[in-house]
């Protein structure tokens, strides 16, 4: 028993270098024995291939899948970035286009005002912009951004587009209220250009849906007034200066009294989309007073000459 115990202790306490030598010798002997017996390593290699190769393929597949996902995310991000760039470009172009449209619209309005200014060059005028209006679709009563500081007074006539719009009813230092000729309470003394026959145009908010005004009290015994006749403000009007274009006759019929005629006029003014107007800064009464003064001056001059 003592001998066995010593042997066991001897084996346990072998030094590492001795153990390494023994194991190396054992492995070398195994290799030599394998070569001598003719046993090849192919089965081991095949077995290793069956285990390792699929594993490597799986690793490669996973790597490829991760690479494809990464590329897909990269491509998607690039598309998102390009799409954002295109959207920004579209937004910029849209904004520029809107500005061009607004500028074109503004230019058209200014050109119309310029033509109107030229057409009524004998009257002093102030350009104004509409800043508010009464509720509803039509500009029957509205406010402009010019007032007494700009020489505007009550009863000044207002024009736009190609014709008469209305009259100033109230004035502040930097604002004024205008009542349009389409308002139900409005009436204008007018006359036909071709025959100088007088009649009265009245406002009608229902009829203006057709772009028309109503006229009455036209005395046309010889039936000379026809559809298409031009209508302008009359020289006998007490509120409107003479010769402002109102519209064209569109309908005409004889009244039951067989003396006067009633009908409609097509107005050239778009009372649904007014924006800029001209205010004529002289009143009809100014012209009347000026005429009276001229007559008085002429009479005084004649008396002095007689004396």
């Amino acid at each position: 028993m003592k001998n066995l115990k010593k042997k066991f202790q001897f084996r346990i306490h072998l030094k590492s270098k001795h153990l390494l030598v023994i194991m190396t010798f054992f492995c070398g002997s195994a290799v030599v024995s394998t070569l001598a017996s003719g046993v090849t390593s192919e089965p081991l290699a095949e077995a290793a291939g069956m285990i390792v190769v699929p594993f490597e393929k799986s690793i490669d597949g996973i790597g490829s899948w991760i690479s494809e996902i990464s590329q897909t995310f990269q491509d998607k991000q690039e598309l998102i970035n390009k799409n954002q760039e295109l959207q920004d470009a579209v937004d910029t172009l849209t904004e520029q286009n809107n500005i061009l449209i607004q500028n074109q619209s503004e230019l058209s309005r200014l050109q119309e005002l310029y033509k109107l200014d030229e057409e009524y060059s004998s009257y002093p005028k102030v350009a104004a912009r509409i800043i508010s209006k009464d509720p509803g679709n039509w500009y029957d009563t509205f406010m402009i951004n010019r007032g007494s500081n700009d020489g505007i007074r009550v009863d000044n006539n207002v024009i736009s587009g190609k014709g008469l719009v209305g009259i100033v009813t109230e004035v502040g230092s930097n604002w004024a209220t205008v009542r349009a000729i389409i308002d139900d309470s409005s009436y204008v003394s007018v006359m036909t250009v071709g025959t100088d026959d007088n009649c009265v145009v009245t406002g009608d908010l229902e009829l203006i849906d057709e772009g028309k005004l109503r006229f009455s009290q036209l005395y046309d015994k010889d039936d000379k007034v026809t559809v298409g006749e031009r209508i302008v403000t009359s020289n006998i009007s007490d509120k409107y200066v003479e010769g402002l274009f109102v519209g064209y006759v569109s309908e005409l019929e004889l009244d039951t009294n067989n003396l006067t005629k009633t009908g409609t006029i097509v107005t050239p003014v778009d009372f649904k989309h007014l924006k800029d107007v001209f205010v004529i800064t002289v009143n009809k009464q100014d012209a009347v007073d000026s005429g009276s003064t001229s007559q008085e001056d002429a009479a005084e001059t004649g008396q002095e000459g007689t004396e």
Side-chain angles (χ1 to χ4, degrees):
M1 287 292 292
K2 292 182 180 180
N3 292 332
L4 289 174
K5 204 173 201 180
K6 289 181 180 179
K7 289 181 180 180
F8 180 73
Q9 289 178 349
F10 174 77
R11 288 178 183 174
I12 291 299
H13 294 288
L14 281 175
K15 293 183 179 181
S16 298
K17 60 181 180 179
H18 296 156
L19 182 60
L20 178 60
V21 171
I22 293 170
M23 293 300 295
T24 301
F25 176 77
F26 175 78
C27 290
S29 299
V31 171
V32 171
S33 300
T34 300
L35 293 176
S37 61
V39 178
T40 63
S41 62
E42 291 181 1
L44 295 176
E46 186 175 351
M50 292 176 64
I51 297 173
V52 175
V53 171
F55 181 73
E56 290 180 346
K57 288 183 178 180
S58 298
I59 295 298
D60 290 341
I62 293 172
S64 299
W65 178 69
I66 293 174
S67 179
E68 290 176 0
I69 291 177
S70 177
Q71 186 64 41
T72 299
F73 279 121
Q74 184 177 354
D75 294 342
K76 184 178 181 180
Q77 187 61 44
E78 290 179 357
L79 288 175
I80 292 173
N81 294 337
K82 289 181 179 179
N83 184 64
Q84 185 61 46
E85 291 176 1
L86 290 174
Q87 186 61 50
D88 292 341
V90 169
D91 292 342
T92 300
L93 291 174
T94 301
E95 182 179 357
Q96 292 176 351
N97 187 56
N98 290 336
I99 293 173
L100 289 175
I101 292 174
Q102 292 175 1
N103 290 341
Q104 182 63 38
S105 178
E106 185 76 13
L107 178 61
S108 298
R109 287 195 299 270
L110 291 176
Q111 288 175 338
E112 287 183 357
L113 286 177
Y114 175 77
K115 292 178 182 179
L116 196 63
D117 187 29
E118 290 292 308
E119 185 173 353
Y120 297 106
S121 58
S122 59
Y123 294 119
K125 295 175 289 296
V126 172
R129 175 154 292 188
I130 297 173
I131 55 177
S132 66
K133 62 183 283 296
D134 280 357
N137 294 327
W138 303 100
Y139 283 78
D140 51 324
T141 304
F142 55 87
M143 184 179 291
I144 58 177
N145 64 343
R146 294 286 185 269
S148 57
N149 291 342
D150 305 287
I152 293 176
R153 296 175 292 160
V154 171
D155 288 341
N156 281 171
N157 298 172
V158 181
I159 56 178
S160 181
K162 296 181 180 178
L164 178 64
V165 170
I167 194 168
V168 174
T169 58
E170 191 177 359
V171 178
S173 59
N174 56 3
W175 60 269
T177 301
V178 178
R179 183 182 68 237
I181 58 175
I182 65 172
D183 187 77
D184 290 332
S185 62
S186 176
Y187 67 93
V188 185
S189 294
V190 297
M191 64 181 182
T192 59
V193 173
T195 63
D196 290 337
D197 291 317
N198 293 302
C199 59
V200 176
V201 169
T202 54
D204 190 333
L205 287 176
E206 293 183 1
L207 191 60
I208 196 61
D209 284 335
E210 302 175 23
K212 297 178 181 179
L213 300 168
R214 190 176 303 280
F215 72 86
S216 59
Q217 303 177 31
L218 173 65
Y219 185 74
D220 181 32
K221 182 179 67 173
D222 299 327
D223 295 328
K224 291 183 179 180
V225 178
T226 59
V227 172
E229 177 72 44
R230 285 174 60 90
I231 302 294
V232 298
T233 50
S234 172
N235 60 306
I236 64 172
S237 174
D238 61 340
K239 295 289 186 181
Y240 293 89
V241 296
E242 182 181 354
L244 302 180
F245 183 49
V246 179
Y248 296 97
V249 173
S250 57
E251 298 174 29
L252 196 64
E253 62 179 15
L254 186 64
D255 294 332
T256 55
N257 59 17
N258 293 323
L259 294 175
T260 58
K261 294 181 179 180
T262 300
T264 58
I265 297 172
V266 176
T267 172
V269 178
D270 184 358
F271 285 97
K272 202 171 185 178
H273 302 97
L274 282 175
K275 190 171 184 179
D276 300 295
V277 296
F278 267 132
V279 181
I280 297 175
T281 54
V282 293
N283 290 344
K284 179 62 179 288
Q285 191 60 41
D286 295 335
V288 173
D289 294 342
S290 177
S292 299
T293 302
S294 298
Q295 290 178 358
E296 292 175 358
D297 291 343
E300 291 177 1
T301 301
Q303 289 179 356
E304 291 175 357
T306 302
E307 293 174 357

